[in-house]
Amino acid sequence: ESSSESSSSSDSSSSSSDSPAKPAKKRAKPKRRVAKPKRRVAKKTVAPKSKKKPKSKKKPKRSKKRKARAGKSVKAAKPADASDVPLGKVVTRARGPKDELVDKVLRRWWYCMPDWPPGPEEFDYDAELRKRKLRKFSNYEFSLHPKIFDDGFVSVYELSQYPGVYMDDFGNRYDLRPRESCPCYNNLVLKTVSELRLLLKKALIAQSKELETVPGVPVNVLLGVKKEMKDSKV
């Protein structure tokens, strides 16, 4: 039995040695994906579109007849009367010789006219206050009194920088300065040409005398006043 077993074992060994052994299959390695670099494409620079300017509308040409009519209407227009113009408004019209005199007087009115606004000695402001039912107080006393009294009078105080002008606690302003003597165009234009020339003469003489006494006055200023005196035949 042992011999048979050995023979069988030898046969199996010989048979196993005769048949070649199959090699073990190797696992294929996964391929690495290599990312290809992307090509950079240069962007096209587009020039900004220029904004088109709006076409200016041409004004229709006036005919010769219309121009002639417009010129006639301007010539026919009468200058505004000084009495119709309210105080503080400018009269828009062509200047005449009288207007030039008024302008020269207004440039130096304080040399030929009394001070304005007048003081309490020359003008009765208290009477004007009573007419309008206003009661004047100093700036300190104003806050200590009622705004409106039982008799209807309103408390006011005078503006220090504008004598003759008063204010109440409600923001209302009362200008009591006399308008008849105000050195303005509306009042001076009512004077005659001879009166205006006398005022201008008085003003130029007083101005030139004062400029001669003041030290450091530019020479051209003094010469300008003297030239104006010659031109105005003063």
Side-chain angles (χ1 to χ4, degrees):
E1 292 175 357
S2 62
S3 62
S4 63
E5 287 178 359
S6 61
S7 62
S8 61
S9 63
S10 61
D11 292 338
S12 62
S13 62
S14 62
S15 62
S16 63
S17 60
D18 292 340
S19 60
K22 293 181 180 180
K25 290 182 179 180
K26 294 181 179 179
R27 292 182 179 178
K29 294 181 180 179
K31 292 182 180 181
R32 292 181 181 178
R33 292 181 182 178
V34 181
K36 292 181 180 180
K38 292 181 180 180
R39 291 182 181 179
R40 292 182 179 178
V41 181
K43 293 181 180 180
K44 293 181 181 180
T45 55
V46 181
K49 293 181 180 179
S50 59
K51 294 181 179 180
K52 292 182 179 180
K53 295 181 179 180
K55 293 182 180 180
S56 59
K57 295 181 180 180
K58 292 183 179 179
K59 294 181 179 180
K61 293 182 179 179
R62 282 187 176 184
S63 62
K64 291 182 179 179
K65 290 182 179 180
R66 286 186 178 180
K67 286 182 180 179
R69 287 175 186 173
K72 285 180 182 179
S73 63
V74 172
K75 289 178 183 178
K78 293 182 179 179
D81 189 8
S83 60
D84 300 334
V85 180
L87 188 68
K89 287 196 175 183
V90 180
V91 181
T92 56
R93 61 186 178 88
R95 279 188 173 186
K98 188 176 183 181
D99 298 325
E100 293 292 337
L101 280 172
V102 171
D103 180 53
K104 289 178 182 180
V105 172
L106 285 174
R107 291 181 193 175
R108 47 186 70 84
W109 66 268
W110 51 93
Y111 290 110
C112 58
M113 297 175 69
D115 292 340
W116 195 88
E121 297 83 10
E122 295 86 11
F123 187 75
D124 192 1
Y125 289 101
D126 294 334
E128 296 294 327
L129 288 167
R130 286 193 295 272
K131 284 180 186 178
R132 292 166 176 79
K133 287 192 173 184
L134 302 175
R135 193 160 290 164
K136 176 188 169 184
F137 295 100
S138 64
N139 292 341
Y140 173 73
E141 294 176 344
F142 177 75
S143 58
L144 303 176
H145 293 277
K147 300 175 184 178
I148 301 175
F149 289 88
D150 296 335
D151 54 0
F153 276 74
V154 180
S155 299
V156 293
Y157 64 94
E158 187 178 14
L159 298 178
S160 58
Q161 62 273 30
Y162 296 105
V165 182
Y166 302 87
M167 292 279 292
D168 61 11
D169 201 32
F170 306 100
N172 299 318
R173 187 182 64 181
Y174 305 93
D175 189 355
L176 305 185
R177 296 173 294 184
R179 295 191 176 187
E180 298 80 14
S181 59
C182 176
C184 61
Y185 176 85
N186 290 346
N187 287 337
L188 287 177
V189 80
L190 298 176
K191 296 181 181 295
T192 61
V193 175
S194 58
E195 288 175 342
L196 290 171
R197 283 178 179 170
L198 288 173
L199 287 173
L200 181 60
K201 180 180 179 180
K202 184 180 177 182
L204 287 170
I205 292 170
Q207 187 180 10
S208 61
K209 285 182 179 179
E210 185 176 348
L211 288 173
E212 288 173 357
T213 56
V214 176
V217 175
V219 181
N220 57 346
V221 176
L222 186 59
L223 291 175
V225 174
K226 289 183 177 180
K227 184 184 176 183
E228 197 166 355
M229 290 174 69
K230 289 180 181 180
D231 296 341
S232 303
K233 297 178 182 180
V234 175

